[in-house]
């Protein structure tokens, strides 16, 4: 299913690209990595620094900010640092400063390439996402120079990988064993979570104790299992339990509710977390990074659990999205994800032209107006956080929504890990039966210490308790280390590799020059250039040009301003956003993905000219004009 021990890339990269065999990959790997245990914050940082040293020409390690407790937030930049260009490298400043104030520095090369951002551990106790980020780094760099298609990707695109958005939560969960979803409340590492090792076993698991208002009961079949009760359950008070962590987590805020989009709800009440949007230092750092890297067009934010993907939005329905964007998300990305998950997809996705209209008829009586408008219900594996049937936004201040709505990026959230899908022995099980089967499965796994039997202990607040259950630095909502975790990493690698191959790519075709006349040292030239987007998707989302921090594609004829006069055309010609080479169901750009630009210019002397095509999200390319 996951192509283990065979080959890893031929499926997505096509028959023209020979697959890279596992043996070749091992030989190409400069920094060994294993997924037999979680790396946590410390292990992740150690790995990132080793990677940066091993691949100095392909990587840069950037500290983009610090957590509440002062831990650095790192982004690994992966791209060939000797390829590409930026507009300001080809078009010099017309009026440089002559005073003491310095002129702006040259833009980093990565900003001239289409970008893909991957993030993990926004919630500190969801460390599977961190492992997926590390796996992606390993696969991409190990294949560079060995796999033609991946080498081209690293040469022409840029990847930004942030394995730990929430360093404090990740550190406290993995290194300290105190499961922590939020960021840290305290700005002092001395105020770490209180680790109450009640039974002195050196481990930090769960605590269960009798509580008439508790929301759990002991399973009647396997007493190790704690079954969560419904809110309106009439289960006897004397048989109810509460379940807490043996180690008390540091209580901060959920940073995935602290982003600017819809932080204020429609009723002008705060919907997000924190004192104000971006009040969390981790959120502020990430927002600043994204805003200063407008070349990013793809984003995947890894969470757990569920085994599905969320596409935008959480605070609003599809009527706040652009139809073409929905088509790209569902018909292209969603279809591929369901294929990789080996799940059935909506009929409309198989044949959009026929299926969508048929679906609208079939959904005529549905109370989901968004499904009726689309022509299909979204499947479990590919959906939106917004409550479509109740028509209300249950989530505000999401990173997902901010990236799409305000930054013009194809953002998604992958909820990694579903034991009933990802472990063959657990296929199709649910509820109490699934919990029992999980423990039975783990009992048979050598060396897997993920769950502890319950033992009597004393708690300083709750008195007689039992300690056991899931270990704090594992948690049941994370993939089991080893082959299960690695198989999930492999599937996600395949999906994000597919999305990377959709990114736009500016290109300059033939440039023709015709001499129209001359007078002394001045020559009149007619210059024609063909500019195109050779990537699969357009150079922007449907309404990208109307968003702040975004612009349409432009093409420059660059040369010394004092020796170049434009008779026809201008130095900068606006192109709008160019279409891609892939057909988007229901949408066809009559202009296509190519534009022809014509200039008539007077050039003094024998100055060299350049055609520079620049797209904010599709990259910048240059071609010299040969007269």
């Amino acid at each position: 299913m996951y192509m283990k021990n065979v080959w890893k890339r031929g499926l997505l990269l096509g028959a023209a690209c020979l697959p890279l065999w596992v043996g070749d990959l091992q030989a190409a790997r400069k920094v060994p990595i294993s997924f037999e245990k979680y790396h946590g914050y410390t292990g992740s940082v150690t790995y990132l620094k080793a990677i940066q040293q091993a691949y100095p020409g392909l990587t840069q390690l950037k500290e983009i900010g610090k957590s509440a407790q002062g831990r650095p937030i790192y982004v690994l930049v992966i791209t060939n640092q000797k390829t590409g260009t930026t507009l300001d490298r080809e078009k010099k400043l017309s009026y440089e400063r002559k005073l003491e104030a310095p002129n702006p520095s040259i833009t980093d090369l990565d900003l001239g390439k289409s970008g893909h951002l991957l993030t993990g551990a926004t919630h500190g106790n969801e460390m599977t996402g961190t492992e997926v980020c590390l796996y992606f780094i390993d696969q991409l760099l190990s294949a560079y120079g060995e796999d033609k298609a991946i080498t081209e990707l690293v040469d022409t695109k840029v990847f930004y990988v942030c394995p730990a958005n929430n360093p404090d939560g990740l550190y406290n969960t993995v290194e300290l064993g105190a499961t922590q979803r939020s960021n840290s409340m305290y700005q002092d590492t001395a105020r770490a979570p209180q680790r109450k090792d009640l039974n002195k076993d050196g481990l930090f698991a769960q605590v269960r104790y009798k509580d008439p208002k508790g929301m759990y009961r002991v399973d009647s079949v396997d007493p190790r299992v704690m079954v969560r009760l419904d809110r309106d359950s009439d289960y006897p008070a004397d048989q109810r339990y509460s379940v807490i962590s043996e180690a008390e987590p540091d209580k901060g805020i959920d940073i995935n509710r602290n982003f600017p989009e819809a932080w204020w709800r429609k009723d002008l009440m705060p919907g997000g977390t924190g004192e104000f949007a971006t009040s969390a230092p981790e959120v502020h750092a990430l927002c600043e990074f994204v805003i200063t890297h407008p070349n990013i067009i793809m984003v995947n934010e890894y969470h757990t659990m569920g085994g599905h993907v969320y596409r935008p939005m959480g605070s609003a329905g599809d009527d706040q999205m652009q139809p073409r964007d929905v088509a790209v998300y569902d018909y292209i990305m969603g279809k591929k994800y369901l294929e990789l998950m080996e799940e059935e997809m909506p009929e409309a996705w198989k044949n959009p032209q026929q299926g969508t209209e048929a679906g609208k008829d079939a959904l005529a009586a549905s109370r989901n107006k968004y499904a009726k408008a689309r022509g299909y219900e979204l499947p479990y594996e590919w959906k939106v956080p917004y409550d479509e049937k109740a028509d209300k936004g249950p989530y505000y201040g999401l990173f997902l929504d901010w990236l799409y709505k305000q930054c013009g990026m194809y953002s998604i959230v992958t909820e990694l890990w579903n034991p009933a899908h990802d472990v063959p022995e657990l296929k199709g099980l649910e509820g109490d039966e699934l919990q029992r089967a999980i423990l039975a499965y783990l009992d048979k796994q050598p060396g897997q210490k993920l769950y502890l039997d319950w033992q009597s202990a004393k708690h300083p607040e709750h008195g007689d308790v039992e300690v056991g259950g899931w270990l704090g630095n594992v948690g049941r909502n994370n993939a089991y280390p080893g082959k299960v975790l690695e198989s999930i990493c492999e599937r996600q690698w395949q999906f994000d590799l597919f999305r990377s191959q959709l990114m736009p790519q500016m290109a300059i075709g033939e440039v023709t020059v015709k001499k129209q006349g001359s007078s002394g040292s001045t020559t009149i030239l007619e210059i024609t250039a063909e500019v195109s987007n050779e990537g699969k998707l357009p150079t922007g989302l449907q309404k990208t040009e109307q968003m702040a921090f975004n612009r349409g594609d432009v093409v420059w004829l660059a040369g010394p301003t004092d020796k170049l006069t434009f008779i026809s055309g201008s130095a900068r010609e606006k192109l709008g956003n160019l279409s891609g080479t892939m057909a988007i169901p229901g949408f066809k750009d009559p202009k296509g993905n190519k534009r022809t630009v014509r200039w008539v210019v007077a050039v003094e002397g024998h100055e060299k000219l350049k055609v520079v095509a620049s797209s904010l999200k599709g990259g910048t390319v240059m071609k010299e004009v040969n007269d």
Side-chain angles (χ1 to χ4, degrees):
M1 179 176 176
Y2 301 109
M3 295 164 284
K4 298 295 291 178
N5 302 319
V6 187
W7 53 272
K8 299 192 179 233
R9 295 181 181 80
L11 174 67
L12 290 180
L13 301 182
C17 177
L18 293 175
L20 179 64
W21 297 89
V22 171
D24 297 333
L25 182 65
Q26 295 287 353
R29 181 176 288 119
K30 295 182 180 180
V31 182
I33 187 169
S34 169
F35 295 92
E36 294 299 319
K37 64 178 182 179
Y38 298 113
H39 288 80
Y41 176 74
T42 305
S44 298
V45 171
T46 299
Y47 178 73
L48 292 178
K49 290 181 178 180
I51 282 289
Q52 198 277 327
Q53 292 181 353
Y55 298 92
L58 298 178
T59 64
Q60 286 182 300
L61 188 58
K62 293 186 176 181
E63 181 182 326
I64 66 171
K66 285 185 167 62
S67 69
Q69 291 192 336
R71 294 185 177 89
I73 303 169
Y74 290 110
V75 169
L76 185 71
V77 183
I78 304 175
T79 190
N80 186 339
Q81 298 174 37
K82 295 181 180 180
T83 59
T85 189
T86 57
L87 184 58
D88 57 351
R89 293 168 190 266
E90 309 298 343
K91 180 70 175 69
K92 304 302 181 183
L93 287 173
S94 297
Y95 303 100
E96 293 189 352
R97 293 179 181 141
K98 304 297 183 182
L99 304 176
E100 293 181 0
N103 287 290
S105 58
I106 296 295
T107 303
D108 289 344
L109 272 173
D110 59 277
L111 291 172
K113 300 177 181 179
S114 187
H116 192 166
L117 171 65
L118 306 173
T119 71
T122 298
H123 295 142
N125 62 347
E126 298 175 3
M127 54 275 196
T128 302
T130 298
E131 303 305 313
V132 171
C133 286
L134 301 183
Y135 189 94
F136 184 92
I137 293 169
D138 173 67
Q139 296 291 302
L140 195 67
L141 290 173
S142 297
Y144 185 83
E146 302 288 336
D147 185 293
K148 181 179 178 181
I150 290 178
T151 301
E152 183 179 358
L153 272 177
V154 176
D155 285 344
T156 60
K157 307 294 190 295
V158 58
F159 300 87
Y160 303 106
V161 187
C162 181
N165 285 357
N166 179 2
D168 297 344
L170 181 61
Y171 180 87
N172 291 339
T173 297
V174 178
E175 279 89 323
L176 297 188
T179 179
Q180 181 176 318
R181 174 185 171 91
S182 69
N183 71 343
S184 288
M185 178 188 298
Y186 305 113
Q187 299 187 12
D188 181 358
T189 53
R191 299 292 298 272
Q194 298 298 309
R195 295 184 289 171
K196 296 181 175 66
D197 187 1
L198 301 179
N199 58 354
K200 308 302 180 185
D201 62 354
L203 302 171
F204 301 92
Q206 295 175 297
V207 175
R208 69 183 185 185
Y209 60 92
K210 288 286 187 69
D211 180 357
K213 296 182 179 180
M215 295 302 296
Y216 290 86
R217 66 173 175 84
V218 176
D219 182 49
S220 59
V221 178
D222 188 339
R224 295 180 297 173
V225 173
M226 297 304 295
V227 179
R228 188 169 183 85
L229 300 170
D230 295 331
R231 289 187 179 276
D232 56 353
S233 172
D234 58 357
Y235 199 74
D238 62 347
Q239 298 180 40
R240 287 174 174 257
Y241 283 79
S242 281
V243 179
I244 62 174
S245 174
E246 186 177 7
E248 297 177 4
D250 178 5
K251 298 177 181 178
I253 66 167
D254 183 341
I255 65 175
N256 197 32
R257 308 290 187 272
N258 190 235
F259 288 88
E261 176 59 30
W263 189 87
W264 287 98
R265 301 182 319 202
K266 293 179 180 179
D267 55 9
L268 298 183
M269 292 292 290
T273 58
E275 296 181 20
F276 53 86
T278 74
S279 62
E282 300 86 355
V283 174
H284 185 99
L286 203 54
C287 284
E288 185 175 29
F289 179 81
V290 169
I291 289 173
T292 55
H293 291 76
N295 58 313
I296 297 171
I297 191 169
M298 292 286 180
V299 185
N300 198 346
E301 182 188 3
Y302 298 128
H303 286 252
T304 59
M305 58 178 290
H308 61 262
V309 167
Y310 284 125
R311 68 149 169 88
M313 295 178 61
S315 59
D318 273 4
D319 56 354
Q320 295 298 306
M321 294 186 66
Q322 299 303 317
R324 193 186 74 185
D325 300 340
V326 172
V328 170
Y329 271 117
D330 294 351
Y331 294 130
I332 297 174
M333 298 183 193
K335 183 178 180 180
K336 173 55 69 174
Y337 187 75
L338 263 68
E339 288 175 356
L340 289 171
M341 292 289 285
E342 298 184 346
E343 296 290 345
E344 186 65 22
M345 65 186 66
E347 287 297 321
W349 293 11
K350 299 175 184 178
N351 190 338
Q353 289 184 335
Q354 297 179 6
T356 300
E357 292 306 315
K360 289 179 179 179
D361 294 338
L363 290 166
S366 172
R367 63 188 180 97
N368 184 347
K369 68 178 185 181
Y370 301 103
K372 287 194 288 187
R374 288 190 303 260
Y376 52 88
E377 292 275 7
L378 290 170
Y380 169 81
E381 292 79 13
W382 188 269
K383 53 188 176 180
V384 294
Y386 188 78
D387 188 340
E388 292 190 330
K389 293 182 179 178
D391 200 10
K392 63 179 181 180
Y395 299 105
Y396 300 89
L398 295 179
F399 191 34
L400 173 78
D401 286 4
W402 179 70
L403 290 166
Y404 170 75
K405 193 74 172 179
Q406 296 192 33
C407 303
M409 300 174 184
Y410 288 112
S411 57
I412 60 172
V413 168
T414 301
E415 295 283 355
L416 304 160
W417 173 234
N418 181 348
H421 179 280
D422 297 325
V423 180
E425 292 88 338
L426 306 176
K427 287 282 187 181
L429 300 180
E430 57 185 25
D432 301 346
E433 186 181 7
L434 174 60
Q435 290 198 63
R436 298 180 197 119
I438 287 174
L439 294 186
Y441 168 79
L442 292 176
D443 288 341
K444 300 176 183 178
Q445 303 306 308
Q448 290 278 24
K449 197 170 187 179
L450 308 179
Y451 194 94
L452 301 180
D453 291 337
W454 298 97
Q455 299 178 0
S456 297
K458 286 283 187 180
H459 191 278
E461 181 181 349
H462 302 293
D464 291 331
V465 300
E466 291 178 279
V467 176
W470 291 99
L471 288 173
N473 61 352
V474 178
R476 63 169 300 193
N477 64 332
N478 284 281
Y480 311 140
K483 64 179 182 180
V484 173
L485 173 59
E486 193 167 354
S487 68
I488 291 171
C489 290
E490 170 63 23
R491 184 176 64 223
Q492 279 307 126
W493 153 253
Q494 293 284 352
F495 182 54
D496 281 307
L497 180 59
F498 168 79
R499 295 216 316 153
S500 298
Q501 293 171 312
L502 299 177
M503 294 196 291
Q505 178 61 57
M506 292 294 283
I508 301 172
E510 184 180 10
V511 177
T512 61
V513 181
K514 294 181 180 179
K515 186 175 180 180
Q516 302 284 44
S518 61
S519 177
S521 62
T522 301
T523 305
I524 308 297
L525 300 176
E526 179 186 19
I527 301 171
T528 304
E530 185 179 83
V531 179
S532 63
N533 168 26
E534 296 304 314
K536 292 183 178 180
L537 290 182
T539 54
L541 278 67
Q542 190 169 357
K543 291 292 184 180
T544 297
E545 292 178 70
Q546 282 79 22
M547 296 178 182
F549 315 116
N550 286 272
R551 60 163 170 79
D553 306 332
V554 295
V555 58
W556 287 78
L557 183 62
T561 55
D562 58 339
K563 297 183 178 182
L564 178 63
T565 302
F566 286 86
I567 300 171
S568 175
S570 61
R572 183 188 67 173
E573 293 290 327
K574 296 182 179 180
L575 304 177
N577 284 135
L578 299 182
S579 297
T581 60
M582 172 181 277
I584 300 174
F587 295 87
K588 186 175 182 179
D589 184 352
K591 296 181 180 179
N593 68 316
K594 301 180 186 294
R595 300 287 188 275
T596 300
V597 185
R598 176 181 173 275
W599 298 275
V600 177
V601 295
V603 183
E604 184 179 343
H606 297 283
E607 298 295 338
K608 289 293 184 182
L609 305 180
K610 304 174 183 177
V611 175
V612 184
S614 179
S615 170
L616 202 62
K617 298 185 183 302
T620 298
V621 292
M622 180 275 293
K623 198 167 191 178
E624 292 186 349
V625 176
N626 297 313
D627 53 11

